[in-house]
Amino acid sequence: MGGVEERGFLRGSDRTGQECAAGSAPRPACLAAVPRGALAAPPAMPHFTVVPVEDKHRAEYDSVEGLSWVDYREPAAAPAAGDSYDTVSSDGHGNHKENSPFLNSSEAGKGGDYYDRNLALFEEELDIRPKVSSLLGKLVNYTNLTQGVKEHEEAESTDGSKKKVSKSPSMGTLMGVYLPCMQNIFGVILFLRLTWMVGMAGVLQSFLIVLLCCCCTMLTTISMSAIATNGVVPAGGSYFMISRSLGPEFGGAVGLCFYLGTTFAGAMYILGAIEILLTYIVPQAAIFHPSGAHDASSAMLNNMRVYGTVFLILMAVVVFVGVKYVNKFASLFLACVVISILSIYAGAIKSIFDPPEFPICMLGNRTLSRDQFDVCAKTIVKDNITVASKLWELFCHSTNLTTENCDEYFVMNNVSEIAGIPGAASGILKDNLWSNYLEKGEILEKAHHPSVDVAGQKNSLHLYVLSDIATSFMVLVGIFFPSVTGIMAGSNRSGDLKDAQKSIPVGTILAIVTTSLVYFSCVLLFGACIEGVVLRDKYGDAVNKNLVVGTLSWPSPWVIVIGSFFSTCGAGLQSLTGAPRLLQAIAKDNIIPFLWVFGHGKANGEPTWALLLTALIAELGILIASLDMVAPILSMFFLMCYLFVNLACAVQTLLRTPNWRPRFKYYHWALSFLGMSICLALMFISSWYYALVAMLIAGMIYKYIEYQGAEKEWGDGIRGLSLSAARYALLRLEEGPPHTKNWRPQLLVLLKLDEDLHVKYPRLLTFASQLKAGKGLTIIGSVIQGNFLETYGEAQAAEQTIKNMMDIEKVKGFCQVVVANKVREGIAHLIQSCGLGGMKHNTVVLGWPYGWRQSEDPRSWKTFIGTVRCTTAAHLALLVPKNVSFYPSNHERYNEGNIDVWWIVHDGGMLMLLPFLLKQHKVWRKCKMRIFTVAQMDDNSIQMKKDLATFLYQLRIEAEVEVVEMHNSDISAYTYERTLMMEQRSQMLRQMRLTKTEREREAQLVKDRHSIARLESLYSDEEDEGDPVPENIQMTWTKEKCDAEKRNRSSAVGSFRDLISIKPNQSNVRRMHTAVKLNEVIVNRSHDARLVLLNMPGPPKNTDGDENYMEFLEVLTEGLERVLLVRGGGREVITIYS
């Protein structure tokens, strides 16, 4: 129990010094009160010597922690109330006030001088990061109790448990893992079907079946042990292991598979119990009786359905009323199984010297069903007179000894009796080594027995023992596999184990070894002791309707009949107990939303609704009514579950996840893969169509959870797998730039946020999603102005806002928000550093700075032009959607219209590629593409048109081609006027900015609106044009200052007068002429186009002309509703070659 000294160091040391002198303080406190130098250098303090004599371990802690120490003794030995040690994290009874053993900030406020001298360097962090001593003190009492203890009251685990959850885990390997696993593994198949399997497959193939199944479970156990010992596994066994290792999607899929497997196992156990009851205990209890010789099987199935349903209802009521009774009887059921198995061994040993008497009646080499006659002979002597036996009457339909109406086979062959159980010393084993598979309806025959092979009458078939289903190796694997399931029983109880990480591997592996040895020895004993035809007789018809295993057992067949009946009932009860809890655990994880109702139950946590659903699903199994049909179904679900356990272990091992540190060391990824392969093979061997159905169910659940977007993050291995795959792919991409054929726009979209951190132009995202159509890389970037340390929270909020908007606009990509002192710098950082390795952007999407003319602040358009220059310098393509608010949303459809491309200069073919990519999206799909190019007077426009059409044909792009001729014309007065206005405006703004007083006032205004300016615009550069200005401008007016102000104003007025007489620059006039002429042509041809794509001219090399550049762009795009200005990145992006 951890106790931490609360007193401050100085006060505490003074007081403790006095207590030490008086002898009242404990010795460790005295030691800690002494400065380190005092102990190390006695000469400095000759009158104060401390000799540590006792309680040495406490002194060791003190030397590390100063006065703050942890009491590692048992709670009973903790200090008394009056002691000088006080506890911080305990409530006085030795119990922690906290559930979590991790970070905690509550200690910080408990005493002013909580931090001591030794940890002064870390004292600011101790609020959020506890000292190691505090952490260890809490971990001492942290146990691995199941996570669901409160909810599940005394919740038994998935396969049912033998005890209720106690307050402190106390079970060892034997009681907690070994016996529960044994009880779950041994089941109905051992008693009802193993002899039949040995008879059909022969001893050798039966060995192979058992070996395959046991190898599968052994390898799965090795994988499960590794997962179970890698940290604390809560109750819920395989579901928790897989969901926490492979993620919620796999966890949900496998959890439901395991649930369905356990539920069908319940149905199988109930069917087994009914089969034992109606065939061997009280056959007269049957409700349906066969009306004819051939409908015996259908009557039996109907009996199974009725009784099975009754049993199921009774068991569900028992589980509903009192689960604790099921668990109390668990040990009784296990005792039944053990006694039954021991009786088999006892009988086999006894058969060596005294085989039991179970004669079989043979007609030729055919086995007769013994329940319809008593004497195995054609005639009997009664009062010295030979009369027809019951057998003669059955075959000849008369009591007189004439053979006219007799079955020909009966007449031609002799009746003989052979021993059903010759015993282990008889050498029968060599006859039973090989397989003897039968088709449905075939008569059981003894090979090498004398017989005359003639056809008999069909109406006599019911007198023989017939095969009721077609058998093969594959069928037998599916039927046998459920008898090796149940290996999860130990891991399901991990919450009750004293040392789960040691007990689970040891107990489970021992249980599997034990059960495998029992199965192998039983196969051998059955083959060595029992006659082949008896082994192949599924229901014991040849031995007077006795259970075939029962005929071998000692002292009586009833030992096994009664024992197996009770053990099957118990196993059924436990399945009905465990399955609802598993469903409840899945429902409470809330990864499959429609299952939420099954997470609720009675007030004490009993899963009522889950029990109801389990009973309904089990009823489906009971309606199938055949044990041989139900067994392969649950085999599939268990195999699917085991497959994923192996996959989880293999993935974790191969990825070398940092958290993968199992205590169980005897695992290897190759073993897990082998286990996985065997599971997959067994699924398809036993029933390929069931395997496909099980995989389809698991796949549908997986996709459903993925589609719903499971909001769980369990640090699963699949996430690690994705990370490894991504890393591998990125390293491959790094090898070189993409080939022109693979080039696609990888976008960096620069977004603008308003004052409330909302996206100002969401249509930019819409445009990005339409251009990408879900392919390639999209990075959404934004810049927040300020200091990173102060505005980190705002950046997080902005990032979340952008992510929400990306979800709305269905943009698949990444978001990056940068905090920078100047917006222009932030954009430059984004352009340089976004992306990773080969996954970097090659195209920047930039919004147009609306209202730049109206704003006296030049920073908005300066940022825009700066960004254009940055992208050009980085050799990136640039897209500027103008009037982006008018762009279509994702829900609109253009059923007609044109996308017009104005190809004025060639810059790598971006203009051709973009419309093609846009037309992949449903919004633009029906638009037609038109390409315009401009011809000068000295160009051959007809030849140009032909060449362009050929080029487009080779590019496989369908588009109309037009060549527009631009005649040389004089510069119009309008052009001259526009240029003049542009230059006057820029000159005027320059003059205004030079006026000092105006500048200072503007600076004050900016200062007052600082919070707005900080978030003002992505495209406004907040850098000051001059020196920083003081916060308040206080002006004292002297005569000199007044004169200077007057002079400034008069000079400003003079400069305004100069504006009127300004003459425009000739190069500006030329540029304006081009812009005006092009704009006329474009508006004339494309005024009704849905979208106009246009080459974007580059900014001037001389930064003085930046403002004029903005004006040229405005003139160029005037009168067009939707314009996309495109600037290539200086490389070819489209090719005519394949």
Side-chain angles (χ1 to χ4, degrees):
M1 202 60 199
V4 181
E5 176 62 26
E6 270 192 291
R7 294 188 302 271
F9 186 92
L10 294 174
R11 273 200 319 274
S13 62
D14 291 343
R15 189 167 68 243
T16 312
Q18 294 161 10
E19 289 171 355
C20 287
S24 62
R27 192 171 298 279
C30 299
L31 282 175
V34 181
R36 291 193 175 191
L39 289 173
M45 293 185 69
H47 304 298
F48 191 92
T49 309
V50 177
V51 183
V53 176
E54 58 184 355
D55 211 0
K56 189 174 177 218
H57 70 283
R58 292 274 289 274
E60 286 167 1
Y61 297 130
D62 295 338
S63 68
V64 176
E65 291 272 11
L67 277 184
S68 295
W69 61 280
V70 178
D71 186 359
Y72 278 76
R73 297 176 299 177
E74 288 298 314
D83 205 297
S84 63
Y85 313 118
D86 195 6
T87 58
V88 169
S89 58
S90 83
D91 60 8
H93 301 290
N95 298 322
H96 290 300
K97 292 175 186 173
E98 291 238 318
N99 293 330
S100 165
F102 303 109
L103 298 184
N104 173 30
S105 56
S106 62
E107 283 103 336
K110 303 210 177 177
D113 299 311
Y114 171 71
Y115 311 119
D116 55 51
R117 185 180 294 172
N118 291 345
L119 294 179
L121 188 60
F122 298 96
E123 60 188 24
E124 289 185 4
E125 295 186 10
L126 285 174
D127 285 343
I128 53 167
R129 295 183 170 94
K131 289 187 292 184
V132 175
S133 56
S134 317
L135 176 70
L136 291 175
K138 286 178 192 159
L139 280 171
V140 165
N141 209 36
Y142 176 69
T143 64
N144 59 351
L145 272 174
T146 59
Q147 288 182 349
V149 167
K150 284 179 187 169
E151 296 88 344
H152 291 216
E153 188 216 8
E154 302 162 8
E156 301 74 27
S157 48
T158 308
D159 286 291
S161 159
K162 300 198 309 87
K163 56 179 282 308
K164 55 188 181 182
V165 175
S166 56
K167 285 187 180 176
S168 65
S170 59
M171 297 186 81
T173 306
L174 182 73
M175 292 299 291
V177 182
Y178 181 71
L179 292 178
C181 281
M182 291 268 287
Q183 181 191 348
N184 278 270
I185 294 170
F186 284 135
V188 62
I189 302 291
L190 169 64
F191 303 116
L192 292 184
R193 293 289 182 271
L194 191 59
T195 51
W196 172 74
M197 185 187 92
V198 174
M200 290 294 181
V203 173
L204 295 180
Q205 287 193 25
S206 297
F207 268 142
L208 183 60
I209 292 172
V210 175
L211 183 68
L212 261 178
C213 295
C214 290
C215 278
C216 174
T217 51
M218 179 59 87
L219 292 170
T220 305
T221 301
I222 290 170
S223 299
M224 183 196 76
S225 300
I227 298 172
T229 58
N230 186 46
V232 177
V233 177
S238 61
Y239 165 65
F240 275 96
M241 281 194 286
I242 293 166
S243 61
R244 272 40 173 194
S245 297
L246 289 181
E249 294 91 351
F250 276 113
V254 177
L256 280 181
C257 279
F258 196 48
Y259 164 72
L260 290 171
T262 312
T263 306
F264 275 108
M268 184 187 78
Y269 287 130
I270 291 171
L271 289 173
I274 303 300
E275 188 177 306
I276 294 167
L277 182 75
L278 293 182
T279 313
Y280 308 115
I281 300 178
V282 276
Q284 59 272 25
I287 299 169
F288 300 93
H289 298 282
S291 53
H294 304 295
D295 62 346
S297 63
S298 60
M300 182 64 182
L301 292 180
N302 288 331
N303 284 322
M304 301 274 270
R305 289 181 183 116
V306 173
Y307 275 100
T309 307
V310 172
F311 261 56
L312 178 65
I313 292 167
L314 284 172
M315 286 185 178
V317 169
V318 169
V319 171
F320 178 76
V321 171
V323 173
K324 51 182 177 292
Y325 300 118
V326 178
N327 289 330
K328 280 179 180 164
F329 284 115
S331 48
L332 175 67
F333 299 139
L334 179 61
C336 289
V337 176
V338 173
I339 291 166
S340 301
I341 292 169
L342 289 176
S343 77
I344 294 174
Y345 286 118
I349 293 165
K350 178 177 173 287
S351 75
I352 298 171
F353 47 84
D354 182 16
E357 284 292 321
F358 281 102
I360 307 167
C361 194
M362 305 291 292
L363 177 61
N365 64 355
R366 296 180 181 179
T367 314
L368 293 172
S369 181
R370 196 64 191 259
D371 61 332
Q372 300 180 46
F373 59 90
D374 46 4
V375 179
C376 182
K378 289 187 179 181
T379 57
I380 51 173
V381 178
K382 192 181 281 184
D383 301 331
N384 291 330
I385 302 168
T386 304
V387 293
S389 68
K390 177 72 174 167
L391 194 59
W392 185 287
E393 289 178 30
L394 290 169
F395 276 99
C396 297
H397 314 293
S398 71
T399 52
N400 56 10
L401 294 172
T402 55
T403 58
E404 295 155 5
N405 301 323
C406 286
D407 186 303
E408 192 180 350
Y409 189 86
F410 179 72
V411 173
M412 300 290 290
N413 286 282
N414 292 324
V415 174
S416 60
E417 261 192 342
I418 59 170
I421 299 176
S426 64
I428 195 77
L429 180 63
K430 65 177 184 295
D431 294 336
N432 291 334
L433 279 179
W434 311 109
S435 63
N436 199 340
Y437 297 117
L438 300 175
E439 290 300 314
K440 185 176 180 180
E442 268 192 70
I443 300 169
L444 268 61
E445 297 178 348
K446 179 172 171 61
H448 314 304
H449 205 65
S451 72
V452 179
D453 194 15
V454 289
Q457 293 175 1
K458 279 197 173 178
N459 59 2
S460 304
L461 280 175
H462 68 282
L463 300 170
Y464 300 111
V465 180
L466 305 174
S467 168
D468 65 332
I469 59 167
T471 51
S472 67
F473 181 80
M474 297 181 177
V475 170
L476 294 180
V477 168
I479 292 173
F480 177 74
F481 188 80
S483 62
V484 294
T485 59
I487 57 171
M488 298 288 178
S491 63
N492 291 340
R493 289 165 186 70
S494 59
D496 308 332
L497 300 171
K498 200 180 296 177
D499 183 1
Q501 299 190 342
K502 179 184 164 195
S503 298
I504 288 174
V506 174
T508 313
I509 290 171
L510 278 177
I512 288 180
V513 169
T514 310
T515 51
S516 302
L517 288 173
V518 168
Y519 286 136
F520 281 123
S521 58
C522 281
V523 167
L524 193 63
L525 290 175
F526 294 158
C529 298
I530 305 176
E531 172 60 53
V533 284
V534 179
L535 285 174
R536 289 191 284 284
D537 180 4
K538 189 187 283 183
Y539 300 111
D541 292 328
V543 282
N544 277 335
K545 288 280 182 186
N546 272 309
L547 180 60
V548 177
V549 190
T551 59
L552 181 63
S553 64
W554 178 87
S556 159
W558 286 100
V559 174
I560 282 200
V561 172
I562 302 297
S564 59
F565 177 73
F566 278 116
S567 72
T568 4
C569 289
L573 275 172
Q574 284 172 343
S575 294
L576 289 179
T577 308
R581 275 168 182 68
L582 180 58
L583 183 63
Q584 189 180 34
I586 298 169
K588 285 197 171 180
D589 265 346
N590 201 26
I591 53 173
I592 304 173
F594 66 82
L595 289 181
W596 68 271
V597 67
F598 300 111
H600 305 296
K602 291 196 289 188
N604 62 358
E606 291 296 326
T608 317
W609 292 107
L611 177 63
L612 187 64
L613 181 70
T614 305
L616 288 173
I617 296 172
E619 177 62 21
L620 292 177
I622 282 165
L623 291 177
I624 294 172
S626 166
L627 186 71
D628 304 319
M629 296 290 284
V630 174
I633 296 175
L634 69 109
S635 292
M636 285 309 130
F637 289 124
F638 278 120
L639 280 166
M640 182 76 80
C641 174
Y642 296 165
L643 185 146
F644 281 112
V645 169
N646 284 306
L647 177 66
C649 180
V651 165
Q652 300 272 42
T653 310
L654 286 174
L655 289 178
R656 295 189 179 89
T657 319
N659 190 47
W660 181 246
R661 304 184 295 276
R663 285 187 182 280
F664 180 78
K665 299 297 180 191
Y666 307 102
Y667 67 93
H668 192 270
W669 62 266
L671 290 177
S672 300
F673 267 118
L674 182 61
M676 204 167 80
S677 310
I678 294 176
C679 287
L680 199 61
L682 285 175
M683 283 173 74
F684 282 93
I685 284 173
S686 52
S687 174
W688 63 266
Y689 44 91
Y690 278 161
L692 291 177
V693 169
M695 288 171 131
L696 184 69
I697 291 171
M700 283 166 61
I701 298 166
Y702 179 94
K703 293 309 287 182
Y704 175 76
I705 297 172
E706 189 180 57
Y707 172 75
Q708 284 291 329
E711 295 174 5
K712 303 284 179 189
E713 177 49 67
W714 289 322
D716 51 84
I718 291 297
R719 184 62 54 88
L721 196 61
S722 306
L723 201 65
S724 290
R727 175 180 161 278
Y728 174 74
L730 280 169
L731 290 170
R732 288 287 304 276
L733 278 175
E734 189 73 65
E735 289 174 6
H739 190 273
T740 305
K741 286 187 285 189
N742 298 328
W743 194 95
R744 63 166 72 242
Q746 316 283 21
L747 300 182
L748 168 62
V749 183
L750 296 173
L751 272 194
K752 184 176 185 178
L753 302 178
D754 61 14
E755 295 88 345
D756 301 323
L757 298 180
H758 293 141
V759 177
K760 202 160 187 182
Y761 300 112
R763 282 293 157 85
L764 270 175
L765 289 173
T766 315
F767 172 68
S769 75
Q770 290 168 7
L771 186 60
K772 300 304 293 177
K775 307 289 189 300
L777 173 74
T778 308
I779 302 172
I780 311 297
S782 190
V783 179
I784 288 182
Q785 195 195 8
N787 185 335
F788 178 70
L789 295 175
E790 294 165 6
T791 50
Y792 176 69
E794 284 177 25
Q796 295 287 91
E799 196 166 317
Q800 198 52 51
T801 306
I802 292 172
K803 280 180 180 169
N804 293 342
M805 188 57 73
M806 286 167 73
D807 286 342
I808 293 167
E809 295 295 342
K810 294 185 171 59
V811 176
K812 289 185 170 65
F814 309 98
C815 171
Q816 192 157 356
V817 176
V818 169
V819 178
N821 287 327
K822 297 174 183 173
V823 173
R824 195 189 295 179
E825 285 179 8
I827 291 175
H829 293 158
L830 281 173
I831 288 172
Q832 289 175 72
S833 60
C834 271
L836 182 65
M839 284 291 278
K840 286 184 81 73
H841 56 277
N842 55 27
T843 307
V844 177
V845 179
L846 184 64
W848 179 260
Y850 302 101
W852 67 272
R853 278 178 175 156
Q854 289 72 31
S855 167
E856 290 180 2
D857 185 0
R859 289 172 294 193
S860 60
W861 52 264
K862 281 200 169 182
T863 302
F864 175 79
I865 296 172
T867 308
V868 175
R869 286 198 172 100
C870 278
T871 54
T872 309
H875 298 293
L876 301 175
L878 178 68
L879 307 179
V880 181
K882 197 160 179 277
N883 305 330
V884 76
S885 322
F886 297 120
Y887 277 55
S889 72
N890 283 327
H891 305 296
E892 293 178 45
R893 300 280 186 284
Y894 285 151
N895 291 322
E896 55 181 5
N898 298 312
I899 299 176
D900 286 359
V901 176
W902 283 84
W903 192 19
I904 297 158
V905 293
H906 178 63
D907 55 358
M910 276 283 284
L911 283 167
M912 314 290 169
L913 192 61
L914 291 174
F916 171 76
L917 293 172
L918 277 174
K919 283 182 67 176
Q920 307 297 309
H921 197 274
K922 54 193 173 186
V923 172
W924 304 92
R925 191 164 290 149
K926 294 189 178 173
C927 291
K928 290 181 178 165
M929 186 171 156
R930 297 192 302 185
I931 295 187
F932 297 89
T933 189
V934 176
Q936 302 300 321
M937 283 300 289
D938 51 352
D939 292 330
N940 183 343
S941 56
I942 297 168
Q943 189 60 40
M944 270 180 79
K945 185 169 182 177
K946 279 184 185 173
D947 293 345
L948 184 55
T950 309
F951 179 58
L952 287 176
Y953 177 76
Q954 289 173 335
L955 286 176
R956 290 93 61 206
I957 289 177
E958 292 178 18
E960 290 179 30
V961 176
E962 287 195 40
V963 176
V964 178
E965 295 181 350
M966 286 186 71
H967 302 288
N968 286 337
S969 60
D970 296 333
I971 292 167
S972 62
Y974 170 74
T975 304
Y976 201 83
E977 186 77 20
R978 286 292 297 258
T979 315
L980 188 62
M981 280 168 59
M982 175 182 79
E983 295 200 355
Q984 281 177 342
R985 180 181 180 281
S986 58
Q987 185 73 20
M988 186 165 68
L989 286 171
R990 204 170 289 124
Q991 293 288 351
M992 286 170 67
R993 285 199 291 276
L994 287 172
T995 313
K996 187 172 187 300
T997 319
E998 286 293 320
R999 210 178 95 219
E1000 288 171 346
R1001 284 179 189 155
E1002 183 69 22
Q1004 182 63 40
L1005 190 62
V1006 171
K1007 182 67 189 169
D1008 293 342
R1009 295 195 338 245
H1010 177 61
S1011 61
I1012 297 172
R1014 188 155 40 86
L1015 305 168
E1016 179 61 34
S1017 156
L1018 181 65
Y1019 307 122
S1020 69
D1021 190 354
E1022 314 310 334
E1023 59 189 300
D1024 292 327
E1025 294 292 317
D1027 300 326
V1029 196
E1031 278 200 24
N1032 292 312
I1033 299 165
Q1034 296 177 347
M1035 302 182 73
T1036 308
W1037 289 95
T1038 60
K1039 189 171 187 303
E1040 292 79 7
K1041 281 192 180 176
C1042 193
D1043 290 342
E1045 181 67 18
K1046 281 179 183 172
R1047 277 199 302 278
N1048 281 341
R1049 284 190 180 174
S1050 62
S1051 68
V1053 171
S1055 61
F1056 286 137
R1057 286 196 191 111
D1058 293 341
L1059 286 175
I1060 301 163
S1061 58
I1062 197 170
K1063 288 201 174 171
N1065 182 310
Q1066 278 306 306
S1067 69
N1068 283 347
V1069 173
R1070 272 202 330 276
R1071 287 192 175 88
M1072 183 63 81
H1073 175 67
T1074 307
V1076 169
K1077 289 289 289 178
L1078 266 174
N1079 179 254
E1080 279 176 17
V1081 173
I1082 293 169
V1083 170
N1084 184 30
R1085 296 297 185 94
S1086 301
H1087 59 87
D1088 58 347
R1090 297 293 187 191
L1091 179 65
V1092 176
L1093 283 86
L1094 187 61
N1095 281 117
M1096 180 179 181
K1101 290 191 173 76
N1102 184 1
T1103 54
D1104 292 343
D1106 283 359
E1107 197 170 1
N1108 301 340
Y1109 172 69
M1110 295 297 296
E1111 189 69 40
F1112 295 142
L1113 290 181
E1114 284 283 11
V1115 171
L1116 186 61
T1117 55
E1118 246 173 10
L1120 296 170
E1121 188 180 13
R1122 283 180 285 270
V1123 185
L1124 181 62
L1125 293 168
V1126 180
R1127 187 161 169 71
R1131 63 160 293 169
E1132 291 292 332
V1133 299
I1134 196 165
T1135 177
I1136 62 174
Y1137 300 107
S1138 64

